Amino acid sequence: MHKAQGSEFDTVFVILPNPCRILSRELLYTALTRQNKRLVLLCQGEPHKFLDYRQLSDAARRLTNLFEAPEPVQVGQRTYDNKHIHRSRRGELMISKSEVIIANELAGAGIVYEYERPFIGKDGTPRYPDFTIEDADTGITWYWEHLGLLGNAEYEEKWAAKLKWYRENGIIPEEEGNGENGTLVTSAEIEGIDNGQIARLIRKIKVPVRWRPPCGLVAGGLSTGAKDSVCTGASEGRWRG
């Protein structure tokens, strides 16, 4: 990869073994941007694990006192400058401080979550919700997305496309009811992080006020056509119209 810097090729084959101790975010970027027409990516193990390299940066591991003293911190087998990483209470490396705040609030509320767990759609492509929360009592799977750059036209366009994809794959925004594959909640960051909004969403997840079954789903698999069916015992399959 180092020798390919500055060069381009019609077709590029990238082979990623696991583990690959010399791999970093910068080196992976170099490999993935050498192609003009076609990229063939061969991964050993789960491909989504390579998303971790968004945080595993060579630059973040540089300890320099050029402007101020470094703050070395050990993360697994690697040493980082503490100024360049964000970690949740559970020790997960995260993209933003806002995600760390949400993760810590979820953990503090006793809610078990998974960070960026892949969801595979009908088309076989994955998406990575910021947080996935499975509620065994109600049967609801919550998907939480934090929208940190609303107001940016390109970001909003990408979010609209992702929201459309979620709908097509049975994940419906909470205010519209429950989807076949889950319920979507979002937090936004217009003028900084809104702790009140995060607290309200956590309360909603912990104590769902009103749980609607997916369209056409009632006890026994028969649809009554009732628009106001409410679950009174999800684990027992009882519905109240």
Side-chain angles (χ1 to χ4, degrees):
M1 296 183 193
H2 286 291
K3 291 182 179 180
Q5 287 183 340
S7 302
E8 293 184 349
F9 309 92
D10 287 342
T11 301
V12 171
F13 290 82
V14 178
I15 302 172
L16 298 173
N18 185 20
C20 185
R21 293 179 176 81
I22 66 169
L23 192 61
S24 67
R25 181 176 66 187
E26 292 81 5
L27 201 57
L28 190 56
Y29 173 83
T30 298
L32 299 180
T33 55
R34 297 309 94 197
Q35 53 83 25
N36 285 324
K37 296 180 180 179
R38 188 183 183 203
L39 172 69
V40 179
L41 188 60
L42 303 175
C43 303
Q44 182 180 10
E46 294 293 332
H48 75 268
K49 292 294 185 183
F50 288 96
L51 286 174
D52 293 344
Y53 284 94
R54 289 180 295 181
Q55 290 84 34
L56 300 179
S57 164
D58 276 339
R61 292 201 295 273
R62 293 172 187 161
L63 302 179
T64 174
N65 60 358
L66 182 60
F67 299 107
E68 58 185 45
E71 302 172 21
V73 60
Q74 191 76 20
V75 181
Q77 300 299 314
R78 298 173 182 267
T79 301
Y80 295 87
D81 189 333
N82 198 42
K83 297 186 293 295
H84 299 302
I85 62 171
H86 307 298
R87 288 187 297 165
S88 70
R89 183 182 301 173
R90 298 194 329 191
E92 298 137 322
L93 291 173
M94 293 187 168
I95 297 296
S96 71
K97 292 180 181 178
S98 299
E99 290 177 340
V100 171
I101 291 171
I102 295 170
N104 289 346
E105 291 294 325
L106 287 169
I111 296 175
V112 178
Y113 67 85
E114 291 184 70
Y115 178 63
E116 291 196 337
R117 186 181 82 178
F119 177 86
I120 308 300
K122 298 174 183 177
D123 58 0
T125 64
R127 297 297 185 275
Y128 302 90
D130 292 327
F131 302 96
T132 300
I133 301 154
E134 294 184 342
D135 189 330
D137 293 332
T138 63
I140 303 176
T141 298
W142 300 87
Y143 296 95
W144 186 322
E145 291 278 15
H146 181 68
L147 310 179
L149 292 175
L150 288 181
N152 178 289
E154 182 180 357
Y155 181 89
E156 290 186 350
E157 182 179 350
K158 289 180 178 179
W159 168 242
K162 190 173 186 179
L163 179 58
K164 179 175 182 290
W165 186 92
Y166 275 138
R167 292 181 187 277
E168 292 171 350
N169 286 278
I171 299 176
I172 305 300
E174 183 272 336
E175 60 269 19
E176 299 176 18
N178 283 77
E180 178 183 358
N181 291 320
T183 300
L184 178 68
V185 295
T186 58
S187 52
E189 195 169 338
I190 306 298
E191 296 179 353
I193 191 81
D194 186 342
N195 284 294
Q197 181 188 43
I198 293 170
R200 288 191 295 273
L201 290 176
I202 287 176
R203 287 196 297 270
K204 190 171 293 185
I205 291 170
K206 290 191 72 172
V207 187
V209 177
R210 189 173 180 80
W211 191 85
R212 295 177 182 271
C215 242
L217 175 63
V218 294
L222 301 175
S223 174
T224 63
K227 295 183 179 179
D228 198 33
S229 295
V230 179
C231 174
T232 60
S235 60
E236 300 169 1
R238 299 197 306 271
W239 307 101
R240 173 167 57 81

